Amino acid sequence: MSRRRPSPQELYYQSIEREQERERYNQFLQDNGYENTPHHADLYVIGRGYVGMKARETIEMLAGSLPYMYD
């Protein structure tokens, strides 16, 4: 059985959540004096307690790619 498509309202709230995540990540970078790299995105994700695919997807969303040898 295939998953249903998200409604426009669900997509809207998902975009808000992604934007809030990016804002928290940018604040993390500023607070610690880091630049935006996959390694620092991984540190952020670990600090937030994300695991599995949520961590992987978050790193890719924030930094654009995974750290070297992530898998």
Side-chain angles (χ1 to χ4, degrees):
M1 186 165 118
S2 63
R3 293 176 39 180
R4 67 174 185 80
R5 294 181 69 183
S7 71
Q9 185 175 9
E10 290 171 326
L11 292 172
Y12 173 73
Y13 286 115
Q14 288 172 1
S15 71
I16 290 173
E17 290 174 15
R18 284 192 303 271
E19 185 59 34
Q20 290 172 343
E21 192 72 45
R22 283 187 192 100
E23 289 173 6
R24 285 192 295 266
Y25 176 62
N26 287 331
Q27 188 63 46
F28 167 80
L29 293 175
Q30 289 178 353
D31 291 346
N32 294 298
Y34 296 149
E35 57 185 54
N36 185 10
T37 65
H39 174 71
H40 293 131
D42 190 30
L43 290 176
Y44 171 78
V45 166
I46 291 169
R48 299 279 298 167
Y50 297 158
V51 294
M53 287 305 290
K54 180 166 178 64
R56 181 186 184 92
E57 292 168 357
T58 303
I59 292 170
E60 288 178 333
M61 177 188 69
L62 296 173
S65 64
L66 294 172
Y68 178 71
M69 301 289 285
Y70 184 79
D71 289 326

